[in-house]
């Protein structure tokens, strides 16, 4: 059945996998865990947090993609449910999903600096869209990206570095920037004999 954004408890296998993940993360210096408000994500976070000794922060907008009337329907082995959502015009739109991802990424970028890493526990389809946005994929191509997305298994994780844009009020242009780039552009000419008309210059810079 398609669980999507509906509540479904963590299975016994899921609990074992969460403990296995915690063991793998002990050397990663995790200082904070962020998870969705769905029980399967929260329970996973609780198991890992207990092992790592860090706090959990719940972000409701980190929930799985809302599949609308496809929730709790049989899984179609031929199609990802995101594709069926688009075809049947149900659940969240691609624009709504994209906006939610961008909001979360901005929140992550603006978190207070920490000496450690932040673990985000989410859900497969929504996580695939997070990576799609990070990779510059347009929303019109989310379905294709999800189709070929190699799922993050329950016992694995991927590291991502998010950089916050600098405060422009403290920035000023280097007065030598133009000269630096201009001289760089002339470098290849000068090595070929410029300003004299040499055979090398005619061959490589006709």
């Amino acid at each position: 059945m398609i669980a999507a954004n509906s509540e479904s408890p963590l299975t016994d296998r899921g609990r074992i996998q969460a403990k296995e993940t915690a063991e793998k993360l002990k050397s990663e210096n995790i200082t904070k865990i962020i998870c969705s408000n769905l029980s399967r994500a929260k329970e996973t976070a609780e198991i890992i947090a207990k092992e790592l000794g860090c706090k959990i922060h719940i972000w409701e907008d980190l929930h799985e993609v809302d599949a609308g009337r496809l929730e709790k329907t049989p899984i179609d082995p031929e199609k990802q449910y995101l594709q069926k959502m688009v075809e049947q015009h149900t659940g969240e739109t691609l624009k709504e999903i994209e906006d939610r991802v961008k909001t979360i990424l901005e929140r992550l970028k603006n978190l207070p600096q920490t000496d450690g890493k932040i673990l985000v526990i989410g859900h497969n389809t929504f996580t695939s869209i997070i990576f799609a946005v990070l990779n510059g994929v347009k929303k019109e191509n989310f379905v294709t990206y999800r189709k070929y997305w190699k799922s993050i298994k329950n016992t694995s994780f991927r590291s991502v570095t998010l950089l916050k844009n600098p405060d422009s009020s403290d920035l000023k242009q280097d007065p030598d920037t133009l000269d630096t780039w201009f001289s760089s552009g002339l470098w290849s000419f000068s090595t070929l004999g410029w300003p004299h008309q040499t055979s090398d210059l005619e061959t490589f810079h006709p």
Side-chain angles (χ1 to χ4, degrees):
M1 302 290 282
I2 295 174
N5 193 40
S6 57
E7 281 289 6
S8 59
L10 195 63
T11 64
D12 290 339
R13 178 58 183 157
R15 294 185 186 94
I16 293 172
Q17 290 173 330
K19 290 182 180 179
E20 291 173 349
T21 301
E23 285 299 317
K24 293 179 182 179
L25 290 170
K26 283 184 176 178
S27 62
E28 293 293 325
N29 191 27
I30 304 295
T31 56
K32 180 185 296 185
I33 296 177
I34 297 172
C35 71
S36 86
N37 61 338
L38 294 178
S39 59
R40 58 189 184 273
K42 287 193 292 185
E43 189 174 354
T44 299
E46 288 165 359
I47 292 170
I48 295 175
K50 183 178 179 181
E51 295 294 324
L52 302 184
C54 52
K55 291 184 177 181
I56 299 172
H57 300 262
I58 295 175
W59 289 8
E60 292 188 6
D61 54 355
L62 194 58
H63 64 77
E64 180 60 294
V65 170
D66 188 340
R69 63 175 179 273
L70 291 178
E71 298 272 354
K72 298 184 179 180
T73 61
I75 293 173
D76 185 345
E78 300 298 320
K79 294 181 181 179
Q80 293 287 345
Y81 79 82
L82 183 65
Q83 179 180 354
K84 293 182 69 176
M85 284 170 53
V86 173
E87 291 173 351
Q88 298 184 25
H89 304 285
T90 185
E92 289 182 279
T93 66
L94 295 180
K95 179 67 167 61
E96 289 170 339
I97 300 170
E98 179 185 50
D99 289 344
R100 188 155 61 90
V101 166
K102 289 181 176 179
T103 298
I104 287 171
L105 290 176
E106 282 304 309
R107 287 177 69 189
L108 288 171
K109 288 179 183 179
N110 288 295
L111 285 174
Q113 289 188 348
T114 174
D115 293 332
K117 297 178 182 178
I118 298 171
L119 175 65
V120 178
I121 299 176
H123 305 276
N124 213 344
T125 295
F126 188 65
T127 300
S128 74
I129 306 303
I130 290 176
F131 278 89
V133 172
L134 286 172
N135 288 317
V137 177
K138 295 181 179 179
K139 64 180 181 298
E140 293 80 9
N141 297 320
F142 284 173
V143 171
T144 302
Y145 189 91
R146 175 67 183 93
K147 182 178 180 181
Y148 295 103
W149 162 259
K150 292 185 178 180
S151 301
I152 300 178
K153 295 180 180 179
N154 290 344
T155 54
S156 64
F157 52 91
R158 296 184 189 179
S159 295
V160 175
T161 300
L162 297 177
L163 300 178
K164 181 180 178 181
N165 292 330
D167 183 356
S168 59
S169 62
D170 294 332
L171 300 179
K172 62 180 180 179
Q173 183 175 348
D174 187 327
D176 192 39
T177 302
L178 180 60
D179 291 341
T180 301
W181 283 103
F182 186 69
S183 61
S184 297
L186 288 177
W187 181 85
S188 60
F189 288 87
S190 61
T191 59
L192 299 175
W194 182 86
H196 304 293
Q197 294 299 319
T198 65
S199 58
D200 282 345
L201 189 62
E202 185 169 342
T203 300
F204 297 106
H205 277 298

